[in-house]
Structure formats: C-alpha cells, structure tokens
Amino acid sequence: MDRQRRNALKAGGGIGLWAMLVATGLVTPAAARAARDDAVFDADSLDGALRALGAQAARDSEEIRIVLPDVAEDGRAVPLGVSSRLPRTEQIVVVIEENPYKVAASFVLSASMLPEVHTRVKMSRSTAVHVLVKADGQFFVARRDVKVTVGGCGV
C-alpha cells in the first residue's frame, strides 16, 4: 500500500471513529484531538519507535504472553494475541521490526479492562515482533520471532 493511500485511510477511519465517540458523548473533542500520536506511528526504525514511546529503557518481562504462529503462511493477516499479567497495565504496543511502519498497533487500556488484545497484523517478511507493555508508568518488553513465507506489506 502506498504512503498516500495509507495516510488517507488512517485519517478517514480515525475521523469517523472519533466523530462517533464525540457524538455519543463518550469522548470530549479535546481528547479526540490529543489521542493520535503521529511520531509513534510514523517511526521508521525500532529505535525511533521506542524513543517516540519513551520506552528506550524497557525491561524484559516474562509476564507478557505473545500468541503468534511460528510460521505465518500469509503475511497479510497474521493472528496475534497479547496478554499481560503485569499489575496496572496501561498500554500495549505491537512493534514489528522489519515492517515499513514499525508500530503496528497501540492499545490504551483503562483500569477496568482485562489486559488482553487480539488482532491481525501485516508482516512484510520474517522478523521479530516486540510487544511493549506500559504498567505502573514503566515499559516492559517481550519478543517473539515469526517466519513469514509470503510477505504482506509493500513499501
């Protein structure tokens, strides 16, 4: 997918979702404007993504569980599950090392939510998937390698 189309889809989808949330009164207009962090999603290196998140000093943790296939037959839709047993989990961020856009997803969680997410991600080639979890104001990380037989991302 080219950059211009990706940006148009991100803007259109984001605007529609936030407009619905604002219209229903679940989110204030100020919160809707502040919710998207372009620096995080536009990072083109792993270090850049970590810097944008403020997670350069993330510590390894075995309390983060990543469910991914060892071999992904099709990189266009790789199933991913993440759960955290870290107390006071605030955020879960998925970073895919070899993708053109490193941050694939970011989930901000409230205290009443179960710290578990399931989604599908695109992967351009065999690579490491890093999951960053922000818990109690600190970042923790877990990593899992995935072999991709047919890539799903274009530059």
Side-chain angles (χ1 to χ4, degrees), residues 41-110:
F41 283 99
D42 290 339
D44 59 359
S45 70
L46 181 60
D47 288 338
L50 294 174
R51 218 177 6 264
L53 287 163
Q56 301 97 316
R59 298 188 325 231
D60 289 341
S61 175
E62 292 185 12
E63 299 299 315
I64 302 168
R65 182 170 180 244
I66 304 172
V67 178
L68 272 168
D70 292 327
V71 177
E73 297 292 329
D74 184 354
R76 292 177 295 179
V78 181
L80 167 70
V82 177
S83 61
S84 169
R85 291 187 306 246
L86 293 163
R88 293 177 290 286
T89 295
E90 305 165 25
Q91 184 177 16
I92 296 174
V93 181
V94 178
V95 180
I96 302 175
E97 211 170 286
E98 292 296 327
N99 275 7
Y101 296 93
K102 304 305 179 198
V103 176
S106 177
F107 303 92
V108 177
L109 309 172
S110 73

Side-chain angles (χ1 to χ4, degrees), residues 18-37:
W18 285 111
M20 181 191 69
L21 292 173
V22 169
T24 60
L26 295 173
V27 175
T28 66
R33 281 189 297 275
R36 186 160 180 270
D37 188 355

